[in-house]
Amino acid sequence: MTVKNICCLGAGYVGGPTCCIIAQQCPEIKVTVVDKSADRIAAWNSEDLPIYEPGLMEVVSQCRGRNLVFSTDIEAAIRSADLIFICVNTPTKTFGMGQGKAADLKFVELAARMIAETAEEGSGLKIVVEKSTVPVRAAESIGNILRHNIKPGVSYQILSNPEFLAEGSAVEDLLSPDRVLIGGEETDAGRSAISALADVYLNWVPKDRIITMNTWSSELSKLAANAFLAQRISSINSMSAVCEATGADVSEVAEAIGRDTRIGPKFLKASVGFGGSCFQKDILNLVYISECLNLPEVAEYWSQVVSFNTFQRSRFSRRIIECLFNTVTDKKICILGFAFKKNTGDTRESAAIYISRHLMEEGANLSIYDPKVSKGQVRIDLEDSENPERFDKLVSCHLDPYTAASEAHAVVICTEWDEFLTLDYKRMYESMRKPAFLFDGRKMLDHEQLGKIGFHVETIGRRLNRRNIERTWN
Ligand code: NAI
């Protein structure tokens, strides 16, 4: 089978960019991206895309209206598709069984039901591809729903094709992925569906980077990859705490261990903690699965990676308060960066949210600057629904970093935006209250230089001041 018509359910951070690249690389395939959110689709059809990704607008301009369509007509898109990507959100459950850990599969289930109801009699084989990150054996549930609602002359093959793109470098990651994973049934029909999807990727991905395997391995590999990546961050962050207490420098330790080819240098940057919509959610999902499989030791092992991340964030915000003479009440604190990482406007699980909330609880006034995060988003993330006026009282958002820092007692770097490297910190220092503090949660600035300007600098994984130096070991 040759895929000619692709439909993607979910026009978010995964569905949108993935389908843009497929449309760009496969001009003979018609790609329709649909979403139940009319606002999101309207934004994809505008010059102001709903997500910020470097290079994405260029790809959209090239393909939109040619073989790439963004639409709210979900049924029409499903009917005409021979391959359907499910790219809907799979957030952590907030209620009921598995609350706070298990992935909420209601959107995936709804998508499967919609496909079953909409597919027309006699429309033949439809390949349904699970791209959302799901628990192991979720494909079985999708298959069950589809097969129990099957219409005459329709058949389904379910594939697992998890997405490994990272926000902020999605275009690059999609254009040259380390690997593309396709899991499917170990039958002739399964193998033929795998090969139809592989043919789509073969338009631009070298054959040796396309890995095929059984469905359950593919589903688990995505959870495992995120767990391993997050584990590395928690591991280096745990070393950062030891460095701060001893006088070692975590960047030097990272370089030393990263030179070991068995360890490698990537993902060894200590910071205020990992964020984003995936790492925590996927590890908690893995923890829940392990508990359900009666593997409490496995669950405990992975849950430490998340617990440590929570500790790292609160350790940093406690340090801010301690340094500011143990009180931040009514003090202006400038937060530079609100997105969970640079080159994205996504704030889901951003460390900045946790730090801001902690400081707000202590009565601090926050002035926030992020080049890609709107005030509306900051409000969603920080407003307390039971006390909404508190947000307006304590938080202001700024369009430039200098007004945000003016009159502030401290500047806190939460996101590693490149533009923060070249700010005029002398100008900033002069407009601030003294002593002026700078907390570099990304370990990205020239601390010596900042010290010369007059800042009291604190950072992650390196002791710059005499505070907390003397430690007793016995
Ligand atoms: P998102 O929340 O940005 O987008 C999901 C979209 O699906 C939303 O726009 C929502 O309105 C839409 N949707 C939900 N149900 C629908 C339905 N029945 N029909 C049509 N549209 C529907 O989520 P995001 O970040 O794109 O993630 C999607 C999946 O991909 C998740 O499972 C996530 O874990 C996974 N993933 C995310 C990555 C990321 O960096 N954001 C990377 C790799 C995987």
Side-chain angles (χ1 to χ4, degrees), residues 30 134 160 170 182 231 233 238 263 394 401 429 455 463:
K30 183 177 175 203
V134 289
S160 158
I182 307 177
Q231 181 203 40
I233 299 179
S238 75
I263 297 173
L394 294 183
Y429 175 79
F455 278 107
R463 193 184 62 204

Side-chain angles (χ1 to χ4, degrees), residues 134-346:
V134 289
V136 192
R137 298 198 84 91
E140 199 168 32
S141 314
I142 297 176
N144 266 329
I145 291 168
L146 294 175
R147 286 179 191 121
H148 280 94
N149 293 283
I150 207 149
K151 292 180 186 160
V154 184
S155 65
Y156 295 105
Q157 271 299 314
I158 327 295
L159 299 179
S160 158
N161 173 220
E163 184 49 63
F164 292 99
L165 68 79
E167 284 177 33
S169 55
V171 171
E172 232 174 282
D173 296 344
L174 287 161
L175 282 174
S176 55
D178 290 338
R179 77 307 207 183
V180 167
L181 208 59
I182 307 177
E185 264 179 26
E186 290 164 308
T187 58
D188 286 348
R191 278 185 282 273
S192 146
I194 290 175
S195 123
L197 178 58
D199 284 345
V200 173
Y201 285 108
L202 278 169
N203 280 290
W204 78 99
V205 179
K207 197 169 183 194
D208 60 357
R209 295 214 185 161
I210 300 177
I211 314 172
T212 60
M213 58 183 65
N214 87 40
T215 316
W216 325 130
S217 306
S218 170
E219 289 175 332
L220 182 58
S221 298
K222 173 64 194 178
L223 295 180
N226 274 357
F228 273 60
L229 289 169
Q231 181 203 40
R232 253 173 105 88
I233 299 179
S234 279
S235 297
I236 196 70
N237 281 344
S238 75
M239 289 302 150
S240 77
V242 179
C243 288
E244 286 160 34
T246 56
D249 180 337
V250 76
S251 303
E252 293 175 353
V253 175
E255 176 166 9
I257 60 175
R259 292 280 187 104
D260 185 324
T261 50
R262 292 167 303 177
I263 297 173
K266 290 186 182 164
F267 248 64
L268 283 181
K269 183 124 176 54
S271 72
V272 69
F274 60 75
S277 64
C278 294
F279 282 174
Q280 176 167 312
K281 159 178 91 71
D282 294 347
I283 295 178
L284 291 174
N285 186 3
L286 183 61
V287 167
Y288 181 70
I289 293 169
S290 308
E291 283 170 355
C292 293
L293 295 170
N294 200 18
L295 296 167
E297 291 80 4
V298 178
E300 177 59 21
Y301 177 77
W302 287 109
S303 79
Q304 270 305 310
V305 172
V306 174
S307 308
F308 192 85
N309 199 49
T310 307
F311 169 71
Q312 183 77 349
R313 287 167 178 161
S314 66
R315 206 168 71 79
F316 188 64
S317 40
R318 271 189 277 123
R319 177 129 62 104
I320 296 171
I321 296 165
E322 267 168 45
C323 283
L324 292 173
F325 315 106
N326 284 314
T327 175
V328 290
T329 313
D330 294 331
K331 286 182 180 164
K332 179 171 170 180
I333 298 181
C334 165
I335 305 284
L336 289 188
F338 204 74
F340 84 90
K341 66 192 285 202
K342 73 174 178 180
N343 294 337
T344 178
D346 194 354

Side-chain angles (χ1 to χ4, degrees), residues 335-375:
I335 305 284
L336 289 188
F338 204 74
F340 84 90
K341 66 192 285 202
K342 73 174 178 180
N343 294 337
T344 178
D346 194 354
T347 62
R348 291 178 290 182
E349 291 299 324
S350 174
I353 297 177
Y354 291 88
I355 291 163
S356 299
R357 283 195 193 142
H358 193 160
L359 296 173
M360 284 169 77
E361 274 163 26
E362 296 288 330
N365 292 304
L366 304 182
S367 55
I368 299 174
Y369 167 74
D370 186 290
K372 292 292 173 196
V373 179
S374 67
K375 180 168 186 180

Side-chain angles (χ1 to χ4, degrees), residues 9-15 34-37 40 74 87-90 107 110-111 114 131-133 163 165 167 222 277-278 281-282 348:
L9 300 177
Y13 286 85
V14 167
V34 290
D35 202 291
K36 58 183 185 177
S37 159
R40 233 178 189 177
I74 300 179
C87 291
V88 302
N89 35 333
T90 49
F107 300 113
L110 276 171
M114 211 181 273
K131 200 169 245 317
S132 297
T133 306
E163 184 49 63
L165 68 79
E167 284 177 33
K222 173 64 194 178
S277 64
C278 294
K281 159 178 91 71
D282 294 347
R348 291 178 290 182

Side-chain angles (χ1 to χ4, degrees), residues 68-123:
L68 176 64
V69 174
F70 295 96
S71 163
T72 48
D73 193 346
I74 300 179
E75 294 184 355
I78 292 176
R79 257 184 245 121
S80 53
D82 37 37
L83 186 146
I84 302 165
F85 282 116
I86 298 182
C87 291
V88 302
N89 35 333
T90 49
T92 303
K93 267 186 95 172
T94 53
F95 57 88
M97 241 168 65
Q99 176 186 6
K101 282 186 197 155
D104 191 340
L105 293 181
K106 73 175 172 208
F107 300 113
V108 172
E109 178 174 339
L110 276 171
R113 288 190 185 279
M114 211 181 273
I115 294 169
E117 278 160 27
T118 311
E120 285 176 316
E121 271 189 43
S123 55

